[in-house]
Amino acid sequence: MHTSTNRTSLLYQLIWFPLTFACAALGARASISAATFYAQLQRPDWAPPAWLFGPVWSVLYLLMAIAAWRISRHPLDAARKALLLYTAQLALNALWSWLFFGWHQGALAFVCLLAMWLLILSTILSFGRLERLASLLLWPYLAWVSFAGVLCYTIWQMNPAQLG
């Protein structure tokens, strides 16, 4: 392979880590007062403590970035659709934090989570067509978003005045 093609390929592959963590940072920006807001909400007994979200999301974002990087190593023609799905779900991931914690929009946050869940599943299936390991790396993310969806809905229903 030509050297400039190798450099371009490497740069393309490396973009997935900063892109993933930039979206994480964007979502975190909306969550600056999340612990305070979360503590003020009525929550079900099974809701995790606020401190748990940061470590869980950190691990999930790392797994997501690794998965996207692994897919980006495939030829672009084969990987394009999978990586577009990945990017779309990543954008919804960042948006959710703004909807729920920044703008206190429970219904919109829940709808966003449903759309994100479908995109994550589509991404997993698309990644799986290219590489099993990349697909497997996203299953914990889907599991957590599934749990988060139930939690989001429950908290929204318990707090209609705060999460209009």
Side-chain angles (χ1 to χ4, degrees):
M1 188 182 278
H2 192 269
T3 305
S4 66
T5 305
N6 283 341
R7 278 191 217 122
T8 303
S9 177
L10 181 61
L11 289 174
Y12 179 69
Q13 290 170 23
L14 293 178
I15 195 170
W16 299 103
F17 286 90
L19 178 65
T20 300
F21 287 104
C23 284
L26 183 60
R29 180 123 171 94
S31 304
I32 288 173
S33 62
T36 304
F37 177 65
Y38 188 70
Q40 295 170 354
L41 297 172
Q42 287 187 350
R43 298 177 311 276
D45 293 338
W46 46 268
W51 65 263
L52 183 63
F53 290 95
V56 168
W57 276 112
S58 295
V59 170
L60 293 174
Y61 280 119
L62 179 60
L63 293 175
M64 292 161 57
I66 292 168
W69 168 74
R70 293 187 67 84
I71 293 302
S72 73
R73 297 181 316 157
H74 292 266
L76 183 56
D77 289 347
R80 181 178 284 120
K81 178 184 175 193
L83 292 170
L84 284 173
L85 287 167
Y86 176 82
T87 304
Q89 67 76 30
L90 199 57
L92 287 182
N93 184 308
L95 177 61
W96 183 87
S97 295
W98 285 94
L99 289 169
F100 192 86
F101 291 115
W103 303 322
H104 304 170
Q105 297 295 312
L108 291 175
F110 181 67
V111 170
C112 180
L113 254 173
L114 291 176
M116 186 170 66
W117 191 93
L118 291 170
L119 281 171
I120 295 167
L121 181 60
S122 297
T123 303
I124 288 171
L125 296 174
S126 190
F127 277 23
R129 289 184 195 101
L130 296 170
E131 183 180 312
R132 179 173 158 76
L133 178 57
S135 177
L136 290 173
L137 289 170
L138 295 181
W139 280 104
Y141 176 40
L142 185 66
W144 182 257
V145 169
S146 298
F147 171 74
V150 175
L151 182 61
C152 176
Y153 179 81
T154 303
I155 291 175
W156 164 44
Q157 294 302 301
M158 292 175 78
N159 298 276
Q162 295 93 336
L163 291 167

